[in-house]
Amino acid sequence: MRTSFGEKAFRLFNIVFMIFLCVITLYPYLNQLAVSLNDGQDTIFGGITVFPREFTWSNYETVFSNSSFVGSLVISGGRVLLGTLLGLILITGAAYALTKKNLPGRNFLIFFLIIPTFISGGLIPLYFLYRYLHLMNNFMVYVLPMAFVFFYMIIVRTYIQSLPNGLEEAAIIDGANEVQILTRIIIPLSMPVMATVILWLAVTHWNDWTTSLYFITKKDLYTLQFVMYKVIKEAELVNELAVTQARMGGGGNQAVAVTPESIKAATIIVATFPIVALYPFLQKYFIQGVMIGAIKE
Amino acid sequence: MHNQLTLSQKIRRNKFLYLLLSGAVLWTIIFCYVPMIGIVMSFQDFNIFKGMFGSPFVGFKHFNAIFSDPVFAKAVVNTLYYNSIILIIGFPFPIVLALLFNELKGRFFKRFVQTVSYLPYFLSWISVVALFYAFFEMSGPFNDLKEFLVGHEIERTNILMDPDNFVAILFGSHLWKNIGWSSVIFLAAIAGIDSQLYEAAKIDGCGRWKQMIHITLPGIMPTAMIIFILSSGSLVSSNFEQVYGFQNLYTMEQTQVVNTLVYQLGIQQGNYSLATAFGLAQGIVSFLIVYGVNWISKKTSQVGIW
């Protein structure tokens, strides 16, 4: 079939539009990458595009030599590991149990778990609950309140339900007990959906910053995302980072090359690096989650 | 055989499954059901030293305050204004993008553009805010571009400092972060359309444009309706991370929404009862909107979420 002029014009427009979309999506990030690798005093003059003009590592050296910055990196990493692990245990356990059609009380339990997705007490009652549970200024406030996500549980359950029924029966005949069925058969076969849930949980934990805003006042419990919030919103932390640099570099270097802009840029790059670096390779697992979820709806 | 067991025998037989479930159930009780009791605070003059059982009940006092105080009224108006722009004007964008993706030919190019466009969704809101702040900085790319286009005589300004730009910033950042990822669900819906329909349309002489109007769009309508119903509740509930992130000293006062006011009143100022009442009113209205939109949708197009 011949393509008409209109279709050719549309195709060209479409390609141009897609390139435009890529540019406006990537440019702000690449610009910050360049600024983070550029001499701070030079950045002030403007005109940095996606290449550093006066290349330097000093912005990264500054943030990484600050102990509270490194501490926040450890807190963020720790909550990703612990939070993802705990979430995976609770979600998988519930999902597997709820695939059993003859489990007494199954419908009630699903109903019981689904209600809070419609109604919640809001922020203030949570605030008091955490005070009562001594979760304020406690590392566990990052882990426990996010340990179960109903929607992910449904995704895992849908996946397990789609596994062939005969497998479990065969295992029972072979003498496997119920723990072995779960750990040796169901979990290994559910690896693709596990990967999806692990990634979603890890991204959620890495990206969360409002938990620190609401419930944390102790500096050594800040997460990296919250440090970024402080850096862009409050001059105090930027100054502290710059002072560290001045003290370190003092004597030798006559000019302190680090500015708030370059510190911000370095912080943004470090805080987003794990996602930007890993996401393109793991994309299919994220999309898979949406697909399984959509079938359920 | 199975039916002859008594209930307690059945429960005992399934104790491993109940053990697996216990974590999720316990978690839901502690972190979801217990805070619901806290709603009581909105009908009290809650005093932190007297606690929930000692504080006096005051009926609907705090709810009345919500409707009479101009600061609250402003926050409600802002919330509705910002969210209706994002929800209604923003809604067709991912659908159009999905249609455009669908028309792309080169496999590699298509994959690349999709990957890039999904990426911002996975960044935290505070990262997006930070990138926007850096982009509109005095020495940042936006002012560089303006200078390049207009000439050196322009004044370098930061548009994020002007409350009049706030709604445009919320809309723009929402689109920037979400447009790509929101299109995934519509791409899936397009992939689910029966290819025979397209074959038949081609035989009848329909070009790609007509195929899109008469087959693709009607094919994804049910999905679009469901997404719309699910997101309709956000009309009264702003994205706290986004709004609070973009607020600054210059724009804060003019741009309060319900969620930021609840945070300010409750956690920062210790006005617990008022903040809880405000949050509760918001939750109820949000639920009613979803319910209402679902009802209308079911009446008119037989598509609903329950």
Side-chain angles (χ1 to χ4, degrees):
Chain A
M1 226 164 117
R2 246 166 15 93
T3 46
S4 68
F5 171 76
E7 279 184 30
K8 275 185 195 155
F10 170 75
R11 241 176 243 176
L12 183 70
F13 158 79
N14 201 3
I15 290 171
V16 172
F17 173 79
M18 290 301 166
I19 293 170
F20 171 74
L21 183 70
C22 287
V23 169
I24 58 166
T25 306
L26 291 178
Y27 193 87
Y29 190 80
L30 294 175
N31 174 258
Q32 284 305 287
L33 187 62
V35 169
S36 73
L37 291 168
N38 195 57
D39 182 88
Q41 299 293 342
D42 177 64
T43 304
I44 297 168
F45 297 111
I48 300 289
T49 54
V50 293
F51 299 107
R53 204 161 39 203
E54 305 238 345
F55 184 86
T56 173
W57 287 112
S58 65
N59 301 319
Y60 287 104
E61 281 162 14
T62 306
V63 291
F64 278 112
S65 63
N66 181 284
S67 62
S68 49
F69 184 88
V70 177
S72 74
L73 205 59
V74 174
I75 294 285
S76 282
R79 74 173 288 190
V80 167
L81 289 179
L82 200 61
T84 306
L85 184 71
L86 187 68
L88 200 61
I89 293 169
L90 259 59
I91 289 166
T92 313
Y96 175 67
L98 290 176
T99 57
K100 299 285 172 229
K101 291 214 166 57
N102 48 18
L103 181 74
R106 173 175 174 264
N107 288 338
F108 168 76
L109 285 166
I110 293 175
F111 184 71
F112 181 81
L113 295 177
I114 206 173
I115 289 290
T117 61
F118 296 107
I119 317 163
S120 87
L123 178 62
I124 308 302
L126 272 187
Y127 180 79
F128 282 101
L129 176 70
Y130 294 176
R131 273 173 71 124
Y132 182 74
L133 296 176
H134 298 284
L135 285 172
M136 309 292 280
N137 279 324
N138 181 336
F139 175 77
M140 291 314 278
V141 78
Y142 293 132
V143 177
L144 293 178
M146 277 197 220
F148 180 73
V149 184
F150 181 79
F151 182 65
Y152 299 165
M153 190 276 284
I154 290 295
I155 289 178
V156 176
R157 193 181 76 125
T158 307
Y159 192 90
I160 295 176
Q161 273 172 342
S162 74
L163 297 174
N165 282 327
L167 284 168
E168 267 189 61
E169 285 158 26
I172 294 168
I173 292 165
D174 287 348
N177 64 34
E178 44 194 358
V179 181
Q180 286 170 325
I181 291 172
L182 179 63
T183 56
R184 302 253 176 96
I185 296 172
I186 301 296
I187 290 177
L189 284 173
S190 307
M191 271 312 165
V193 78
M194 296 286 160
T196 301
V197 171
I198 288 172
L199 289 173
W200 278 117
L201 285 172
V203 168
T204 311
H205 275 286
W206 180 260
N207 278 345
D208 170 60
W209 58 280
T210 46
T211 303
S212 314
L213 180 73
Y214 297 148
F215 309 117
I216 298 287
T217 48
K218 254 163 80 183
K219 233 176 173 176
D220 52 359
L221 283 173
Y222 285 177
T223 59
L224 183 56
Q225 299 289 327
F226 190 63
V227 165
M228 177 158 66
Y229 162 80
K230 289 267 182 192
V231 164
I232 60 166
K233 290 290 194 152
E234 291 168 20
E236 187 193 335
L237 203 72
V238 178
N239 288 341
E240 188 202 296
L241 287 163
V243 167
T244 323
Q245 162 71 11
R247 249 192 264 125
M248 279 209 340
N253 303 359
Q254 57 277 67
V256 182
V258 174
T259 63
E261 274 66 44
S262 49
I263 298 237
K264 283 176 196 170
T267 311
I268 294 172
I269 297 301
V270 176
T272 54
F273 182 77
I275 287 171
V276 175
L278 293 176
Y279 156 75
F281 304 101
L282 302 170
Q283 194 191 167
K284 71 169 182 185
Y285 293 108
F286 286 109
I287 293 176
Q288 188 174 276
V290 178
M291 298 306 168
I292 300 172
I295 294 164
K296 188 64 202 166
E297 277 167 21
Chain B
M1 177 75 184
H2 214 75
N3 292 337
Q4 284 152 10
L5 297 169
T6 64
L7 185 66
S8 71
Q9 277 175 312
K10 277 193 201 167
I11 289 173
R12 234 173 298 146
R13 181 167 280 202
N14 288 307
K15 59 177 185 289
F16 176 62
L17 296 177
Y18 288 114
L19 180 72
L20 289 177
L21 262 167
S22 61
V25 171
L26 210 65
W27 180 90
T28 306
I29 292 171
I30 295 173
F31 289 102
C32 299
Y33 283 97
V34 171
M36 283 182 204
I37 303 167
I39 291 171
V40 172
M41 289 197 316
S42 58
F43 301 99
Q44 292 178 320
D45 260 336
F46 182 77
N47 182 316
I48 199 162
F49 300 107
K50 289 181 189 158
M52 223 161 63
F53 301 101
S55 299
F57 277 88
V58 293
F60 286 90
K61 177 182 154 191
H62 301 295
F63 293 92
N64 292 334
I66 293 169
F67 295 108
S68 51
D69 191 315
V71 177
F72 291 118
K74 172 93 179 152
V76 171
V77 169
N78 280 344
T79 305
L80 291 173
Y81 174 46
Y82 299 154
N83 291 323
S84 55
I85 299 269
I86 289 174
L87 189 67
I88 294 162
I89 301 182
F91 188 72
F93 281 78
I95 300 178
V96 172
L97 184 66
L99 294 174
L100 291 177
F101 277 148
N102 194 43
E103 299 296 324
L104 271 186
K105 286 287 170 275
R107 262 192 91 73
F108 177 78
F109 182 65
K110 186 174 172 179
R111 180 110 50 91
F112 176 79
V113 181
Q114 283 180 323
T115 304
V116 169
S117 74
Y118 301 162
L119 182 61
Y121 179 78
F122 295 95
L123 303 178
S124 63
W125 262 113
I126 201 66
S127 311
V128 173
V129 167
L131 286 171
F132 268 64
Y133 266 93
F135 191 79
F136 293 108
E137 192 97 50
M138 295 290 188
S139 60
F142 180 74
N143 279 307
D144 289 344
L145 184 70
K146 213 162 85 174
E147 198 174 88
F148 176 74
L149 293 176
V150 186
H152 275 285
E153 64 274 18
I154 63 131
E155 195 189 344
R156 281 182 177 252
T157 51
N158 189 337
I159 64 164
L160 300 179
M161 305 294 179
D162 185 346
D164 291 341
N165 295 330
F166 203 72
V167 67
I169 292 158
L170 291 188
F171 182 74
S173 58
H174 168 81
L175 219 54
W176 189 81
K177 189 177 193 291
N178 296 326
I179 186 172
W181 187 252
S182 307
S183 74
V184 170
I185 198 90
F186 296 112
L187 276 172
I190 292 173
I193 297 172
D194 190 349
S195 59
Q196 285 180 349
L197 291 174
Y198 291 104
E199 299 297 330
K202 267 185 211 158
I203 293 165
D204 289 347
C206 289
R208 292 201 73 89
W209 175 253
K210 281 200 166 162
Q211 289 175 28
M212 195 176 89
I213 296 294
H214 296 294
I215 299 171
T216 313
L217 269 182
I220 61 176
M221 265 317 275
T223 307
M225 287 302 289
I226 285 173
I227 302 283
F228 190 79
I229 297 166
L230 287 173
S231 53
S232 63
S234 70
L235 190 66
V236 287
S237 127
S238 301
N239 184 334
F240 175 84
E241 299 189 23
Q242 181 190 21
V243 176
Y244 192 73
F246 276 113
Q247 281 177 341
N248 53 47
L249 239 60
Y250 306 93
T251 58
M252 185 84 122
E253 211 176 314
Q254 299 291 315
T255 61
Q256 288 288 20
V257 295
V258 176
N259 290 16
T260 54
L261 207 58
V262 168
Y263 168 67
Q264 199 181 45
L265 282 171
I267 292 186
Q268 291 183 322
Q269 294 169 9
N271 221 326
Y272 303 114
S273 286
L274 199 53
T276 311
F278 213 8
L280 178 63
Q282 181 191 40
I284 291 169
V285 174
S286 169
F287 183 77
L288 289 178
I289 290 175
V290 175
Y291 194 84
V293 172
N294 191 50
W295 186 78
I296 295 168
S297 168
K298 263 186 149 169
K299 284 275 161 197
T300 55
S301 64
Q302 280 81 47
V303 178
I305 53 171
W306 62 69

